[in-house]
Amino acid sequence: MPFDRSIKIAPSILAADFANFGAECRAVEAEGADWIHVDVMDGHFVPNITFGPSTAKAIRPHIKGIMDVHLMIAPVDPYIDAFADAGTDILTAHVEAGPHIHRTLQAIRGAGMKAGLALNPGTPADAAAELMDAVDLICVMTVNPGFGGQKFIDMTAKIRRLRGMIGDRPVHIEIDGGVDPRTAPLVAAAGADVLVAGSAVFKGGSVEDPAPYGMNIRAIRNAAEGAL
Ligand code: DX5
Ligand code: ZN
């Protein structure tokens, strides 16, 4: 598949009904989601706990498109094969999660997945400088990871820096945290192409009444595309 830098909306199932992930994934895809963003938290790297690779594997058959797994865990390496086995397309690890991020990214690609690198708000763009040829995606956190529904932190300058550093490489810039129709134009104009959104996609809807999911996705997409 050719590299695609058009705007992609990736609903985070952190804001979905945890007792109904399969149906929630089918519903947001039917309503226009491009990717499904799966947040894995360990209660150690971040203060919250969600679920692990067995849940990702159970969700996979309910996703037609890309399963984008965001690991907020440390260490990462012992779990890479399990996430590959779960059917993960893109596996993202945090640069802050350990001393050997280059090895981790190599291992992710070696296991047959695309490799993502996430940067916390306090981490500068330069932390990715030596990793540009080892990554397929850079995730710029616009909240401190751990919880959905937090206030957007403006990382526009960092996104522009990263966009310049990426140059012609086929590397996505993903934004995660506080993305809604108001903040989406800022990050899209700065060079982001993948917009993760939890609360702003799932609010007002449900599996029984999924139309609001579609309205929410279109509102974010239109706002982002309007800024290009
Ligand atoms: C934060 C997670 C995000 C989160 C986004 O730790 O990585 O993916 O679900 O949620 P919203 O869009 O509600 O900020
Ligand atoms: Zn995430």
Side-chain angles (χ1 to χ4, degrees), residues 12 14 37 39 41 70 72 141 143 145-150 176-179 196-199:
S12 163
L14 191 60
H37 185 84
D39 284 310
M41 304 185 186
H70 177 194
M72 287 159 275
M141 295 304 302
V143 297
F147 303 95
Q150 301 183 81
D176 190 3
V179 172
V196 174
S199 8

